[in-house]
Amino acid sequence: MMPTPAAAVLLTALATAGSGVSAGAPGEAMSGPIPVELVRDESGWRLLRGGEPYFVRGAGGRASYLHRLAEAGGNSFRTWGVADVAETRRMLDRAHELGMSVLVGLSLPKWRHFDYGDDAAVAGLLDAQLRNVEALKDHPAVLAWGVGNEVMLAEADGPEGAERCARFFTLLNAFAERVKAADPHHPVATVIAGANGNEIAALNEHAPGIDLVGVNAYGGSTSLSDELRGHGLDRPFMLTEFGSEGFWVAEQTEWGAPIEPLSGDKAETFRRSYLDTVMSNPGWCLGSYAFLWGHKNERTATWFSMILETGEKTEPVDVMTELWTGCAPENRCPRLRRIVSPADRARVAPGSRHEVRISAGDPDHDPLTYRVEVERLASELGFGGSYEPRPERMDVEITPVDADGRCTFVAPTEPGGYRLFVYVFDGRNGAATGNFPFWVEASEGAAETAARER
């Protein structure tokens, strides 16, 4: 790996933070839990694992890519729930083999989807999660329990939100005490969405049993610590999801299609968030989990996917590798600089032909190849990260990208919203991505116009 300009600062921080304990060494026999504790001294809070300082350099996503996370310098993995105890245990086994820890999620439904006033339903829900704790608590890969993820999302604002938060975090505190009684070796966390004042006030007042707070923040997480400080958060935190600007705050077309950043722009957002929030708050921020280590469809198949469904890494992986290790990876991803087309964010005629100009390069001077696709605009939309199906890929004419980075495509004939995706590959497991939305508009004479343009 080649040193980068950031290496001097980062290597100093990594050296003092520690990377874990020898009990997590590959191939070592598992011999029970590795105790994890939070300690506080004049310099602030620290996480100790096996008695040694432990700073979390993690990601959340697909367990099938755990080995690649370890290779990139990550030392921890985050999950959101235990769907199957046996499967989770196998994942923990693999993490331990790789010398990694796991923030094990204990899933709780969103407030809007569950009646937290139904005592019997709540008791059943929490009893089920406590059984997961009992089943997994002695595994050496367990770092901490993450109880609930953004449960109060969109329900925490205003006076009614303050009341809801007080009720929820009182309940959560009682459950955290049960978890710690069952497992005295691991701290309990909960995860909130951004720095919400009502949630933080409720945590401070009603949930002393929550040891640390996970905060999910995208794009604007460079100001997160100031916001948390302004709301008076009284305990340590971790940045439990961060990455590209979210689609919920992105610029949109007039028909409501969010504009997705290019993969290189996303990478710089990862960098800023990590340096400004994680590395700038020693003794308070205890680490982070990048999102998403793998791939998922959320508005698009590429918005949050650090690794493509075909297995190639994208530039956010390179940035996190550099930040975790102080060195750039041996092979760096290509950079997609811009996509230019008259169809970009435009209303076009059915069947019309449009030029696309692609500007890309590779820092290692690898030869590049391209894939260009058209998909329908996502219409079956999830909430708070819930499942979204991949939109239909369209069978339209797309000419090969030439040596000057140019191609043309023919718009679908059916009216509606679409996206044109550009994938750039270096042939060495690196990729860059970008896309733009367009709208096929049915209009009088559109067929004749399209015929002339073709």
Side-chain angles (χ1 to χ4, degrees):
M1 296 183 177
M2 297 297 295
T4 68
V9 174
L10 290 167
L11 287 176
T12 300
L14 294 174
T16 58
S19 61
V21 293
S22 60
E28 183 172 333
M30 289 180 280
S31 57
I34 297 174
V36 179
E37 60 179 325
L38 281 164
V39 297
R40 189 178 187 183
D41 56 26
E42 64 278 359
S43 63
W45 283 280
R46 289 183 298 153
L47 198 63
L48 301 182
R49 184 170 183 244
E52 298 293 330
Y54 193 85
F55 190 77
V56 173
R57 304 192 300 274
R62 292 183 177 265
S64 56
Y65 294 121
L66 272 175
H67 63 292
R68 294 174 67 173
L69 180 57
E71 290 168 358
N75 67 358
S76 193
F77 186 67
R78 182 192 171 195
T79 71
W80 285 260
V82 179
D84 179 89
V85 168
E87 182 179 339
T88 300
R89 188 176 286 112
R90 286 191 292 271
M91 181 272 296
L92 290 167
D93 290 347
R94 179 59 173 151
H96 183 66
E97 290 172 1
L98 293 166
M100 299 174 67
S101 68
V102 179
L103 173 60
V104 181
L106 301 175
S107 179
L108 299 180
K110 298 284 191 286
W111 180 276
R112 64 167 52 188
H113 296 150
F114 187 79
D115 183 3
Y116 282 94
D118 184 334
D119 292 342
V122 169
L125 172 69
L126 299 183
D127 286 347
Q129 295 301 344
L130 196 62
R131 288 193 292 272
N132 289 330
V133 173
E134 293 280 6
L136 301 169
K137 63 186 177 67
D138 292 329
H139 199 291
V142 174
L143 177 71
W145 304 104
V147 184
N149 180 74
E150 301 183 352
V151 173
M152 301 305 298
L153 182 66
E155 307 293 338
D157 295 331
E160 291 185 358
E163 181 181 346
R164 295 187 194 106
C165 289
R167 289 164 55 196
F168 175 71
F169 286 107
T170 298
L171 180 156
L172 193 65
N173 186 70
F175 180 62
E177 296 295 351
R178 291 178 67 192
V179 172
K180 290 196 280 191
D183 176 17
H185 298 299
H186 302 106
V188 176
T190 193
V191 178
I192 63 176
N196 183 280
N198 283 340
E199 288 186 280
I200 293 170
L203 274 161
N204 290 346
E205 182 176 356
H206 300 290
I210 298 295
D211 300 301
L212 62 100
V213 179
V215 187
N216 298 342
Y218 293 83
S221 61
T222 54
S223 62
L224 178 65
S225 56
D226 290 338
E227 296 170 12
L228 293 173
R229 192 173 287 108
H231 290 304
L233 182 65
D234 64 358
R235 67 204 73 184
F237 75 97
M238 288 194 291
L239 189 56
T240 39
E241 290 179 23
F242 72 102
S244 171
E245 177 184 73
F247 54 79
W248 51 90
V249 295
E251 178 189 354
Q252 295 190 355
T253 66
E254 61 184 21
W255 58 86
I259 308 303
E260 180 177 345
L262 301 175
S263 54
D265 296 331
K266 296 177 188 178
E268 292 310 309
T269 303
F270 274 82
R271 186 190 304 276
R272 290 195 306 272
S273 296
Y274 192 83
L275 293 176
D276 290 351
T277 297
V278 181
M279 300 306 292
S280 297
N281 289 284
W284 191 27
C285 182
L286 304 182
S288 64
Y289 293 89
F291 187 88
L292 176 99
W293 194 262
H295 52 86
K296 68 174 296 193
N297 196 88
E298 193 166 354
R299 295 312 186 265
T300 77
T302 55
W303 202 300
F304 296 112
S305 300
M306 298 174 73
I307 299 172
L308 302 184
E309 60 183 347
T310 47
E312 292 86 2
K313 64 172 183 169
T314 62
E315 202 167 343
V317 173
D318 287 357
V319 164
M320 294 314 305
T321 300
E322 175 194 328
L323 292 170
W324 288 330
T325 68
C327 298
E330 292 180 3
N331 177 61
R332 293 168 292 175
C333 290
R335 169 65 67 95
L336 179 54
R337 302 187 188 96
R338 58 186 174 274
I339 308 169
V340 178
S341 174
D344 183 2
R345 311 178 206 185
R347 295 179 180 271
V348 305
S352 54
R353 182 180 293 275
H354 303 275
E355 184 181 63
V356 179
R357 288 176 289 165
I358 302 164
S359 175
D362 188 87
D364 305 316
H365 307 291
D366 294 324
L368 300 178
T369 60
Y370 301 84
R371 189 173 79 237
V372 181
E373 298 178 343
V374 172
E375 288 186 2
R376 288 190 185 276
L377 197 66
S379 58
E380 297 182 48
L381 306 180
F383 174 78
S386 60
Y387 171 77
E388 293 183 17
R390 178 78 179 263
E392 177 189 5
R393 291 186 180 91
M394 307 306 297
D395 184 14
V396 296
E397 181 188 340
I398 303 173
T399 62
V401 177
D402 65 21
D404 295 321
R406 297 172 184 261
C407 70
T408 64
F409 77 100
V410 175
T413 57
E414 183 177 343
Y418 299 89
R419 286 186 189 269
L420 181 136
F421 288 81
V422 173
Y423 298 86
V424 185
F425 303 99
D426 66 359
R428 300 175 62 196
N429 206 40
T433 66
N435 69 75
F436 64 78
F438 63 96
W439 186 272
V440 173
E441 189 162 45
S443 60
E444 187 176 350
E448 291 81 358
T449 300
R452 287 195 299 273
E453 291 180 350
R454 294 178 66 179

